[in-house]
């Protein structure tokens, strides 16, 4: 299955990133491609010149653990996402509660960073010079992200009103959906919001330190649950 990310302009829209979910992978695996570089109809292959990275569910962790990698040889992590998925019995007895997500991303997106998030300045180095940004999930769980130039965000709790959970999307989201979400930092500032417009379209709004690449990764996780 393919997912398309487009930037909205006043008079047009152009597909910027294409995500292709692999069918043969043992775990959920999305390959992402720069459509502005390769074109919408280009072959979606890792060997193609417009491959920019992948989103993969961690096979060694519970279902709700995802990691976004860039296309560098070292496969550096650009972001990590964690979902708190209620047990099946809880969903049966209490209904389906709002999804809860945590994410961790680099604190500063360098000026030379592209859609794939590649930048040597973004790699957190250990004392021995080895890259440490492949431990994003560990930093999130241990609370050590603050010491490694990272930002942690979590879903904003919706308000329960007239039998429904509600968030204020300022008119950008038109249809109720379990996929609708807002991610906020420790200060309560909304850095990303994602929600349904119609059966085929969702709006994805974000600001720094999210990039198009890391924001699209957060949205893709919603379609995998």
């Amino acid at each position: 299955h393919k997912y398309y990310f487009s930037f909205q302009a006043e008079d047009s829209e152009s597909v910027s990133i294409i995500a292709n979910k692999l069918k043969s992978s043992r775990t959920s695996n999305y390959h992402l491609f720069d459509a502005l570089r390769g074109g919408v109809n280009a072959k979606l292959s890792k060997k193609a010149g417009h491959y920019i990275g992948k989103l993969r569910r961690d096979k060694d962790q519970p279902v709700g653990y995802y990691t976004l990698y860039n296309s560098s040889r070292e496969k550096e992590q650009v972001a990590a996402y964690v979902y708190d998925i209620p047990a099946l019995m809880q969903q049966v007895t209490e209904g389906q509660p709002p999804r809860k997500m945590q994410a961790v991303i680099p604190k500063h997106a360098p000026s030379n960073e592209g859609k794939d998030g590649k930048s040597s300045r973004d790699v957190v180095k250990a004392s021995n010079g080895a890259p440490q940004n492949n431990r994003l999930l560990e930093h999130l769980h241990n609370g050590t992200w603050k010491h490694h130039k990272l930002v942690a965000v979590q879903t904003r709790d919706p308000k329960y009103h007239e039998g429904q959970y509600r968030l204020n999307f300022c008119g950008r989201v038109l249809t109720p959906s379990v996929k609708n979400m807002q991610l906020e930092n420790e200060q309560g500032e909304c850095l990303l919001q994602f929600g349904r417009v119609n059966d085929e379209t969702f709006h994805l709004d974000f600001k720094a330190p999210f990039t198009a690449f890391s924001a699209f990764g957060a949205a893709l996780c919603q379609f995998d649950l």
Side-chain angles (χ1 to χ4, degrees):
H1 197 82
K2 297 182 179 67
Y3 301 87
Y4 299 88
F5 173 92
S6 303
F7 283 105
Q8 282 187 319
E10 291 184 1
D11 55 353
S12 65
E13 286 189 14
S14 58
V15 176
S16 299
I17 308 176
I18 300 174
N20 183 37
K21 186 175 184 180
L22 304 185
K23 296 180 180 179
S24 57
S25 180
R26 289 189 301 171
T27 184
S28 297
N29 200 339
Y30 300 80
H31 285 183
L32 284 77
F33 301 85
D34 184 350
L36 297 179
R37 189 191 312 169
V40 176
N41 298 317
K43 184 178 180 180
L44 302 181
S45 167
K46 287 185 69 174
K47 296 181 179 180
H50 62 304
Y51 170 74
I52 57 175
K54 66 180 180 180
L55 174 73
R56 185 171 184 176
R57 193 184 80 199
D58 194 332
K59 62 183 178 181
D60 297 323
Q61 298 286 350
V63 174
Y65 287 63
Y66 297 83
T67 304
L68 184 68
Y69 299 88
N70 64 20
S71 59
S72 69
R73 182 175 298 179
E74 295 79 12
K75 296 181 180 179
E76 297 163 354
Q77 290 189 0
V78 178
Y81 316 94
V82 179
Y83 268 105
D84 178 15
I85 302 176
L88 180 60
M89 184 56 65
Q90 181 182 351
Q91 296 185 47
V92 171
T93 57
E94 301 178 11
Q96 188 171 31
R99 295 174 175 178
K100 292 186 178 182
M101 180 189 207
Q102 292 178 290
V104 61
I105 55 177
K107 187 174 184 179
H108 299 292
S111 58
N112 65 335
E113 183 184 86
K115 297 184 192 68
D116 55 359
K118 285 195 289 186
S119 171
S120 59
R121 288 186 293 167
D122 235 3
V123 180
V124 179
K125 296 289 184 178
S127 57
N128 61 0
Q132 280 205 20
N133 67 334
N134 285 341
R135 297 168 56 187
L136 292 182
L137 285 174
E138 180 180 333
H139 290 317
L140 180 62
H141 282 260
N142 295 340
T144 54
W145 52 269
K146 296 180 180 179
H147 309 301
H148 293 274
K149 299 180 181 179
L150 302 171
V151 171
V153 295
Q154 62 183 5
T155 46
R156 176 174 288 174
D157 290 331
K159 305 297 183 183
Y160 193 74
H161 180 66
E162 296 181 352
Q164 289 186 328
Y165 291 100
R166 300 178 183 273
L167 286 167
N168 181 10
F169 289 94
C170 300
R172 292 286 289 163
V173 175
L174 305 178
T175 305
S177 172
V178 69
K179 295 180 174 63
N180 299 347
M181 69 171 180
Q182 292 177 331
L183 296 179
E184 62 181 10
N185 59 17
E186 277 193 320
Q187 292 73 41
E189 179 186 10
C190 182
L191 301 182
L192 180 149
Q193 66 177 22
F194 176 73
R196 184 185 292 274
V197 179
N198 54 46
D199 289 344
E200 299 293 331
T201 305
F202 289 76
H203 278 163
L204 175 61
D205 303 324
F206 60 93
K207 59 183 177 181
F210 274 102
T211 64
F213 187 55
S214 58
F216 194 29
L220 288 172
C221 293
Q222 291 280 35
F223 293 102
D224 199 51
L225 299 176

